[in-house]
Amino acid sequence: MDVRQLQYFVEVAKQKNFTKASQTLLVSQPSISKMIKSLEEQLGVQLLDRAEREVELTDAGALVYEQAVRIIQSMSDLSTSVNELVHVNRGKVKMGLLPTVGALLFPRIMANFKKEFPRIDIQMEEYSAKHVEAQVAKGTIDFGVTVLPVDSHLFETVFLHAEELVVIVNSEHRLAKHESISLVECQDESFILFSEEFALHDVAMQACRQAGFEPKVAYMTSMWDLVCEMVATQFGISLVPKSMAARLNNHRVHSIPISTPHIAWDWALIYRKDRYQSYAARAFISYIQANLPIVR
């Protein structure tokens, strides 16, 4: 059964006339007659009563007409939906990001993107950096924001933001008055580090080892606020991104730039190289590339 057979049949039924249907469809009358006759033969019933001046539906024709209208409408809806999808009028994407990254980079971007693409829904989940990579790798989320480096064989990356790590200490700490310090000056301090599932844990450990010492870890946590409070109460010091230190609302905590070694903290949007990206996901990635202010 050809959908054109149904379209021709429905139009003849509406017009109650082959000639008018021919004019509306811009198809010759013999072609329409042939199509409808073929449809009747396939169904094994007569659909149209051609005896009268106006063509009328038979009982079987009325039943087929009702179903044909639904089928034609469904085909139209399908075509419209695909067209909207292809032209990025609608869709859904899932992304994972670090809690601090979301607060720093995305509120304005997300609001403006939603204005331009109101029918694209973006579902966001917060994960640690390592969990973002794992979720993208598994295909649970379409893309994620994490800390570089990542597996370049597995992921495509869109660079977002670069900053440095700083040392945070109690405001009365012996180092608090320094304009900058070498990380080796902290070798006798106790460190408050993030848990091992956080990329920041590995970066901090590597930086200390690069400076020539193994850090004395007093406590590990997954809570940003707890790190700040423990530093404020002189339980130890910590290494955090500069942007996070700037947002700490605690006068008892002071941040100090690190002169050596240089500790990079680079964020990127990542997605699987070998995975199909929906039109909506590609639209969001392109929007991020075009509109996110890059800080180097």
Side-chain angles (χ1 to χ4, degrees), residues 38-294:
S38 175
L39 178 62
E40 290 178 321
E41 289 174 354
Q42 289 177 34
L43 295 175
V45 293
Q46 182 178 340
L47 302 176
L48 299 173
D49 182 356
R50 302 167 175 80
E52 301 296 329
R53 183 175 181 181
E54 286 190 340
V55 175
E56 297 289 346
L57 291 170
T58 64
D59 290 345
L63 177 63
V64 172
Y65 176 83
E66 182 179 341
Q67 296 297 321
V69 168
R70 292 178 183 174
I71 291 170
I72 292 169
Q73 184 60 54
S74 294
M75 293 293 291
S76 176
D77 291 345
L78 177 60
S79 178
T80 300
S81 297
V82 171
N83 186 60
E84 287 180 347
L85 189 66
V86 170
H87 292 87
V88 203
N89 290 323
R90 62 188 298 179
K92 180 178 181 179
V93 293
K94 294 182 180 180
M95 69 178 297
L97 68 167
L98 314 182
T100 52
V101 172
L104 287 169
L105 297 182
F106 281 90
R108 183 176 298 177
I109 287 291
M110 297 298 293
N112 291 337
F113 178 81
K114 195 64 178 177
K115 289 178 182 177
E116 187 166 337
F117 302 99
R119 298 184 68 185
I120 293 181
D121 296 323
I122 299 179
Q123 179 181 331
M124 293 183 289
E125 299 286 346
E126 291 186 352
Y127 302 102
S128 67
K130 293 181 181 179
H131 285 166
V132 166
E133 292 180 48
Q135 295 301 316
V136 174
K138 289 192 298 184
T140 309
I141 56 179
D142 297 297
F143 43 78
V145 176
T146 189
V147 179
L148 295 177
V150 295
D151 186 348
S152 60
H153 296 291
L154 183 61
F155 300 113
E156 291 284 1
T157 61
V158 178
F159 179 80
L160 299 177
H161 181 82
E163 61 177 308
E164 298 178 353
L165 296 190
V166 297
V167 174
I168 57 172
V169 301
N170 178 273
S171 57
E172 297 180 1
H173 192 277
R174 64 180 180 85
L175 297 173
K177 294 182 180 180
H178 289 59
E179 291 187 5
S180 66
I181 61 171
S182 173
L183 190 57
V184 71
E185 296 179 63
C186 302
Q187 62 182 332
D188 295 325
E189 302 292 333
S190 296
F191 281 78
I192 313 299
L193 296 183
F194 288 90
S195 305
E196 293 180 354
E197 68 266 22
F198 286 80
L200 188 53
H201 174 276
D202 293 350
V203 172
M205 294 293 291
Q206 183 179 353
C208 292
R209 289 165 182 162
Q210 186 179 348
F213 67 95
E214 191 72 19
K216 293 185 291 185
V217 181
Y219 193 82
M220 290 194 296
T221 178
S222 61
M223 296 180 285
W224 294 85
D225 291 343
L226 185 56
V227 171
C228 175
E229 288 302 317
M230 296 188 80
V231 170
T233 55
Q234 303 185 56
F235 197 79
I237 68 173
S238 190
L239 291 173
V240 299
K242 184 178 179 181
S243 58
M244 176 191 169
R247 297 175 66 240
L248 294 176
N249 186 24
N250 193 320
H251 67 278
R252 295 175 297 163
V253 176
H254 180 73
S255 66
I256 312 167
I258 301 170
S259 57
T260 56
H262 171 75
I263 311 173
W265 185 250
D266 298 338
W267 299 337
L269 186 76
I270 66 169
Y271 54 94
R272 283 280 298 261
K273 284 185 173 181
D274 59 351
R275 189 180 180 212
Y276 170 78
Q277 290 293 328
S278 68
Y279 292 101
R282 278 181 267 169
F284 184 77
I285 292 170
S286 296
Y287 189 87
I288 290 292
Q289 291 175 306
N291 293 279
L292 187 69
I294 304 299

